Amino acid sequence: MSNLQRLRHFVTSFAEVLERHTDEAAVLRDGSALLQNLVAVDDWLPAAYAQPDPERYRQYLLHADSRQRFSVVSFVWGPGQQTPVHDHTVWGLIGMLRGAEYAQPYRWQDGALQAHGTAIRLEPGTVEAVSPNLAGLDDIHRVHNAYDDQVSISIHVYGANIGAVKRSVYQSDGTPKLFISGYSNQTLPNIWDLSSESAAV
Ligand code: FE
């Protein structure tokens, strides 16, 4: 398998996982294995989906399921960039493709939102999960590029069309603010255009 076939195979296989399981823990277990395979080889992400922005991290939509059951996003960090503390409200899987990132979980403690434990460093080929529903997983975190001098890229899968989900970023005192991430896509290659295999990569 090469290049964009990896991504197509991932998308169709992930849809099969969702046909097989309605149980979230099972979806995350089988989905993590698929995502780990996808990010094990860094030769398939079209360059247009890997472009950083000097101002802000970018989220490019790679695929939105027709039934909104899941979406796949290329998350591109410029050097030193970070997110605010934010939630997702749906399950999410994060697979590191290139570079590295740190994810710091947050939890509510005594009515305040506080960093919980130490930040997790994600290296290429590894997968992390977030969820508001499963014991042992957190839905709130802050993430940053582990590098101040290079681009990092992770591939995210979410249990909804994440760019349209109403969720929250949190101020330092824990006050939530409505957040709808949208997508950074302008005009980008169509990953399903089988006639332009080499042009799209
Ligand atoms: Fe996140």
Side-chain angles (χ1 to χ4, degrees):
M1 221 185 297
S2 68
N3 298 334
L4 277 174
Q5 278 179 303
R6 294 188 204 284
L7 179 58
R8 295 187 199 115
H9 177 72
F10 173 78
V11 165
T12 52
S13 301
F14 211 100
E16 285 163 15
V17 167
L18 291 166
E19 300 288 344
R20 263 201 314 274
H21 303 292
T22 49
D23 174 54
E24 186 176 313
V27 168
L28 293 189
R29 182 196 62 218
D30 290 3
S32 291
L34 291 175
L35 183 56
Q36 205 160 353
N37 272 335
L38 181 67
V39 296
V41 185
D42 182 9
D43 71 351
W44 56 267
L45 184 68
Y49 293 94
Q51 299 305 312
D53 181 294
E55 301 297 319
R56 198 170 185 277
Y57 56 88
R58 283 189 171 175
Q59 297 159 88
Y60 297 104
L61 178 67
L62 289 169
H63 184 74
D65 175 58
S66 60
R67 285 187 255 161
Q68 317 268 319
R69 294 170 304 175
F70 72 106
S71 53
V72 185
V73 171
S74 163
F75 202 106
V76 181
W77 300 100
Q81 291 177 344
Q82 67 169 340
T83 68
V85 178
H86 65 276
D87 66 15
H88 312 83
T89 75
V90 294
W91 61 257
L93 291 169
I94 299 114
M96 203 73 217
L97 182 71
R98 198 176 299 173
E101 68 187 41
Y102 283 103
Q104 173 63 61
Y106 278 72
R107 284 188 188 176
W108 291 103
Q109 280 165 332
D110 308 320
L113 197 55
Q114 294 178 0
H116 177 81
T118 51
I120 300 147
R121 184 182 168 107
L122 273 188
E123 298 288 350
T126 59
V127 172
E128 258 290 310
V130 293
S131 170
N133 305 313
L134 292 181
L137 295 182
D138 290 291
D139 185 36
I140 304 178
H141 65 181
R142 181 205 285 273
V143 187
H144 71 271
N145 188 348
Y147 295 102
D148 286 332
D149 58 356
Q150 71 178 70
V151 170
S152 292
I153 301 177
S154 49
I155 304 302
H156 298 202
V157 189
Y158 298 98
N161 185 356
I162 194 67
V165 170
K166 287 182 181 151
R167 47 197 178 124
S168 300
V169 295
Y170 296 89
Q171 295 165 0
S172 52
D173 66 356
T175 306
K177 207 175 111 208
L178 176 67
F179 164 57
I180 302 171
S181 66
Y183 297 113
S184 314
N185 301 48
Q186 305 283 327
T187 302
L188 292 172
N190 172 5
I191 67 161
W192 300 101
D193 181 358
L194 304 179
S195 68
S196 59
E197 186 77 66
S198 54
V201 177

